[in-house]
Amino acid sequence: MTSTSASAEARRSRTLHWVVGLSFAALLFDGYDLVVYGTVVPTLLADKSQIGALTPEQAGTLGSWALIGVLVGALTAGAIGDLVGRRRIMLVNIAWFSVGMALTATTTSIFTFGAGRFLTGIGVGALVATVGALVAEFAPADRRNRYNAIVYSGIPAGGVCAALAAIVLDDVAGWRGLFWIGALPVLLLLPLAWAKLPESPLWLLSRGETERAAAVSRRTGVALPAAGTVPATQATKADKVGYAALASRPYLVPTILLGLMSFSGLLLTYGLNTWLPQIMEGKGYGKDYALAFLLLLNLGAIVGGLIASWVADRKGARRVVATTFLLAAVALLLMPFDLPFTVLLAAVAVAGVGSIGTQVLIYGLVSNYYPTSARAAGVAWCAGFGRLGGIVGPVIGGILVGAGVGGSTAFQLFAAVSVVGAVVTLCVRGVAGGRTSTAVTPDEEAAVARDAVPA
């Protein structure tokens, strides 16, 4: 290796670490937001002096307000992310998310609390929809699943932080203090992102900005495709960008199936994170034990998701996602039984791998599937449409808990969703060959070859 190539590789490695680190930190607070609501639901239900008299059904609906915001934010980011770039979306929505959390901490009514959750969700959705595209364009093709898993494991890691904060700080700071913690990114993360987060040179190239792309490539060490290896539509402004590309013939059916995969994964993720503490309290476990189950659910997702991503880079993400969905189904079916405590803990951890961990893998699969001109829209579609599942999950849990049905029915229903997710994932193989080799670079084709069969 020459000194010039060694220097470029060092710059690329340093840039990649900044991109991965900043993206992880952004999603850490996304995961914090996801779980912190579940930790405060018992308090809000028990004490009407906080935001008013709250029923379980209303609590489930409030949990969904943030997800409606996520849907709006993700789809909006997808509509403009392939037009305005990854960096701008990230910076704006780190600030937006923080302001939403701060407003939620000050609310005194059910309506204003829901409005704060909705505003927060817009920032969350835009971040989730953008980081997958960003990381896929900086990471080496043969390690994209791994780097995506590291970044998206920020979501369960944030869940762990929220559960720990609730256990340690709830009596000191109260539920409002937990939301104020979620406003910290505007002070801690935004200045770093402003200074260190580059724009994607591949995105610049896809928009026809060849001089800027070359300048960013030299500064970051991220190599641009060699001349002659990129189709003309990639070297100039693409005819179909964003959602228009997703609706084109090669991508339409796979896009629908990938959306259904994300719908299943996020229904499980949000349903379990919102209602697991309440269900476990109903089974006779104290508040700290119930929060410990939530902690274990997210820890299992982190460890299991990273291991599964390592396998996905070797065996293909599609088969791994189907397997983890099925593991979640088995674990959820076992949880209502009178299991030994250690076995119950193992089942909760496996459920975390098969729900939150599976969604981490889905984001990696999707971000690797689409070309640069449609990548942000593809990830945004799955994050946005999937959030419909996230909206349904807390509402279903609230209805079941409010009806006094108990945790058994909820776990069985979530297990059925896991099986549906596995079936949909396996169906992707039959249509994945519909993508065309002219839509992406050779590196991108190699990265998804294991998940596609020729048409």
Side-chain angles (χ1 to χ4, degrees):
M1 181 182 291
T2 66
S3 59
T4 302
S5 60
S7 175
E9 182 59 31
R11 290 197 303 275
R12 174 174 182 166
S13 178
R14 186 165 56 250
T15 299
L16 178 60
H17 289 156
W18 274 111
V19 168
V20 170
L22 290 169
S23 298
F24 174 89
L27 293 191
L28 183 79
F29 284 95
D30 173 16
Y32 182 91
D33 173 73
L34 162 66
V35 173
V36 74
Y37 178 66
T39 68
V40 305
V41 163
T43 299
L44 299 180
L45 287 172
D47 186 357
K48 65 180 181 181
S49 69
Q50 299 301 319
I51 61 172
L54 190 67
T55 67
E57 292 83 358
Q58 288 175 316
T61 302
L62 274 182
S64 295
W65 272 108
L67 305 181
I68 296 172
V70 170
L71 174 64
V72 172
L75 295 180
T76 302
I80 65 175
D82 290 316
L83 297 173
V84 305
R86 313 340 182 180
R87 173 182 159 85
R88 291 175 187 171
I89 297 293
M90 288 285 288
L91 295 177
V92 168
N93 285 285
I94 288 171
W96 187 298
F97 166 88
S98 302
V99 171
M101 290 292 276
L103 289 175
T104 305
T106 65
T107 58
T108 57
S109 71
I110 293 174
F111 174 79
T112 55
F113 185 91
R117 299 292 294 146
F118 174 77
L119 290 173
T120 303
I122 292 176
V124 169
L127 290 172
V128 171
T130 304
V131 296
L134 187 68
V135 172
E137 289 165 9
F138 280 95
D142 62 344
R143 284 175 280 168
R144 284 180 181 168
N145 281 301
R146 201 175 320 167
Y147 280 114
N148 264 287
I150 291 171
V151 167
Y152 280 102
S153 68
I155 296 175
V160 169
C161 292
L164 287 173
I167 292 171
V168 175
L169 299 177
D170 189 34
D171 292 337
V172 178
W175 71 268
R176 296 183 189 277
L178 296 178
F179 278 95
W180 278 114
I181 291 172
L184 291 176
V186 72
L187 299 176
L188 304 180
L189 184 59
L190 184 60
L192 270 178
W194 185 279
K196 295 295 185 179
L197 188 68
E199 185 53 89
S200 162
L202 285 177
W203 175 80
L204 292 169
L205 189 65
S206 77
R207 300 299 296 156
E209 300 186 38
T210 53
E211 291 185 5
R212 281 189 65 196
V216 175
S217 174
R218 288 191 296 271
R219 188 173 70 252
T220 62
V222 177
L224 294 173
T229 65
V230 182
T233 55
Q234 285 289 91
T236 60
K237 290 189 178 182
D239 292 331
K240 292 185 177 180
V241 177
Y243 291 127
L246 301 190
S248 62
R249 187 175 179 276
Y251 300 110
L252 181 58
V253 175
T255 293
I256 293 171
L257 291 174
L258 292 170
L260 290 172
M261 288 166 54
S262 186
F263 180 95
S264 301
L266 285 168
L267 189 154
L268 295 171
T269 296
Y270 279 84
L272 289 172
N273 271 302
T274 299
W275 288 109
L276 186 62
Q278 190 73 15
I279 290 173
M280 288 307 189
E281 281 195 47
K283 288 171 65 68
Y285 293 96
K287 180 180 178 180
D288 286 346
Y289 271 111
L291 290 173
F293 285 121
L294 193 60
L295 180 66
L296 187 60
L297 184 81
N298 286 275
L299 281 173
I302 296 170
V303 176
L306 291 174
I307 294 172
S309 71
W310 183 83
V311 178
D313 276 329
R314 286 155 177 76
K315 303 295 184 182
R318 183 187 59 84
R319 283 177 285 183
V320 177
V321 168
T323 300
T324 53
F325 263 134
L326 292 175
L327 285 174
V330 173
L332 290 165
L333 288 173
L334 289 174
M335 284 169 63
F337 291 102
D338 188 19
L339 301 172
F341 188 67
T342 53
V343 177
L344 177 61
L345 293 178
V348 171
V350 172
V353 176
S355 55
I356 310 166
T358 296
Q359 188 61 31
V360 167
L361 295 173
I362 290 171
Y363 283 132
L365 188 157
V366 171
S367 62
N368 291 336
Y369 186 83
Y370 293 101
T372 299
S373 59
R375 183 170 284 126
V379 179
W381 156 255
C382 286
F385 182 79
R387 248 48 182 207
L388 293 176
I391 292 167
V392 170
V395 170
I396 289 175
I399 292 171
L400 294 176
V401 171
V405 173
S408 297
T409 303
F411 287 138
Q412 290 164 2
L413 183 58
F414 289 144
V417 172
S418 299
V419 173
V420 171
V423 172
V424 171
T425 303
L426 293 174
C427 288
V428 173
R429 182 178 177 86
V431 296
R435 63 183 310 200
T436 60
S437 60
T438 60
V440 292
T441 66
D443 252 6
E444 289 173 322
E445 281 293 329
V448 299
R450 289 184 292 269
D451 291 313
V453 295

